[in-house]
Amino acid sequence: MKVLFSPNFISAETCAALNAWVDEGVKNKWLDKGISRGSDWAYDKRVTTRNYADRFEYPPVVYEVFDHISAKLGLQDTPKSTVGAGKDGVVVSCTLPGGDVYPHQDPMEGPDLHVLRCNIMTRDSDTGGELYIGGKKIDIGVGDLHCYLPSAVEHYVTPVEGNTSRILWMFGYKMSLADFGRF
């Protein structure tokens, strides 16, 4: 499976601003329990905005990053992903120490459309928290952009270890396999 990669896509200052919003969001329950193997939205080791869009507004920096991604990839006219909830095509998750992302594939946007996720990790865990896509480890750093079709390939993140949470911002688009093939 193809993974698009752009190192140092956003600055340390932008990462810090996004992280500050997440830290505030965790305290205020803008991010709340996620899902894991059989947890049915009761998993408290990874919190997310996925089902809680009515609780918050994203700050302007989130939309600035989304616009930057759209411009970089020529996706200005590509519809935003709405499957799997989130808000305005954006989902953020904060994986706490001891948490992980279980192996899974995201749902499709319909019979012929996949989800293109353009992800940026803005805070890395002390150790662990490693991303695997299609069984292969993908090395990502803070501020790097990585994009793939999570609705077309199994992916997971190993358990976060240490004292630092791992924050991932996900910017989604609706896309066919043929359109993804142009990259």
Side-chain angles (χ1 to χ4, degrees), residues 26-115:
V26 170
K27 291 177 194 168
N28 291 314
K29 294 283 190 188
W30 302 337
L31 289 81
D32 211 337
K33 293 180 181 177
I35 192 168
S36 192
R37 299 168 201 86
S39 74
D40 196 29
W41 297 103
Y43 189 58
D44 61 3
K45 295 289 185 180
R46 187 180 67 257
V47 293
T48 180
T49 60
R50 192 170 298 277
N51 286 338
Y52 311 106
D54 60 331
R55 297 181 184 178
F56 64 87
E57 295 296 328
Y58 284 127
V61 66
V62 172
Y63 300 104
E64 292 165 11
V65 170
F66 212 163
D67 289 346
H68 184 43
I69 294 167
S70 295
K72 168 83 173 175
L73 299 177
L75 298 172
Q76 296 92 330
D77 297 325
T78 304
K80 305 296 192 276
S81 172
T82 55
V83 71
K87 184 174 197 145
D88 301 330
V90 181
V91 175
V92 62
S93 71
C94 178
T95 306
L96 305 170
D100 68 358
V101 177
Y102 67 100
H104 72 286
Q105 282 184 226
D106 290 8
M108 299 269 296
E109 283 281 352
D112 300 319
L113 291 176
H114 285 270
V115 177

